[in-house]
């Protein structure tokens, strides 16, 4: 088990070590809440608009390598800022749900 998961998901420690991988897999099946979906959609639109603005402002939209560079340098970190915390929140909710079903919360 990756120790980073144990730091990011303290609920995972409540599972026996041999069952942690399975618990994490089950937590990934937890659905996103509507507020998370709206947040992702709004953030995606904002980041896309920013990228389009940067590319047209710098006249880079005709250069595929520049477009790729902007996407990697600007878009990926900006998307990760929102998507990673939402993913971790969903996993924690899924783990808490499993613990609650087992009566160990």
């Amino acid at each position: 088990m990756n120790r980073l998961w144990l730091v990011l998901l303290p609920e995972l420690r409540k599972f026996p070590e041999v069952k942690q991988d399975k618990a994490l897999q089950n937590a990934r099946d937890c659905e996103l809440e509507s507020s998370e979906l709206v947040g992702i959609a709004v953030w995606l639109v904002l980041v896309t608009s920013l990228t389009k603005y940067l590319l047209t402002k710098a006249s880079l939209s005709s250069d595929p390598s520049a477009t790729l560079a902007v996407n990697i340098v600007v878009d990926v970190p900006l998307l990760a800022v929102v998507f990673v915390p939402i993913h971790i929140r969903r996993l924690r909710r899924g783990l808490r749900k499993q613990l609650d079903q087992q009566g160990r919360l």
Side-chain angles (χ1 to χ4, degrees):
M1 173 61 48
N2 189 342
R3 292 192 190 271
L4 181 60
W5 284 125
L6 294 173
V7 172
L8 295 174
L9 307 168
E11 294 85 357
L12 195 56
R13 293 180 184 167
K14 295 180 181 179
F15 290 90
E17 193 170 331
V18 294
K19 294 185 179 183
Q20 288 178 352
D21 286 332
K22 182 67 174 165
L24 193 55
Q25 281 180 332
N26 291 339
R28 288 184 179 118
D29 293 335
C30 187
E31 304 232 351
L32 289 168
E33 293 178 348
S34 57
S35 61
E36 294 168 337
L37 289 171
V38 169
I40 287 171
V42 168
W43 190 246
L44 191 56
V45 168
L46 289 173
V47 170
T48 303
S49 299
L50 175 67
T51 302
K52 187 175 181 180
Y53 173 77
L54 289 174
L55 290 173
T56 56
K57 196 71 169 170
S59 301
L60 297 173
S61 58
S62 62
D63 184 9
S65 61
T67 301
L68 181 63
V70 168
N71 284 334
I72 290 172
V73 172
V74 176
D75 290 356
V76 172
L78 284 176
L79 291 173
V81 163
V82 169
F83 293 175
V84 170
I86 287 175
H87 179 64
I88 291 170
R89 182 175 185 244
R90 179 179 63 110
L91 290 176
R92 292 184 73 182
R93 187 173 55 250
L95 290 171
R96 283 192 303 268
K97 184 178 177 182
Q98 290 177 63
L99 289 169
D100 190 37
Q101 288 172 348
Q102 296 174 2
R104 292 195 283 161
L105 188 59

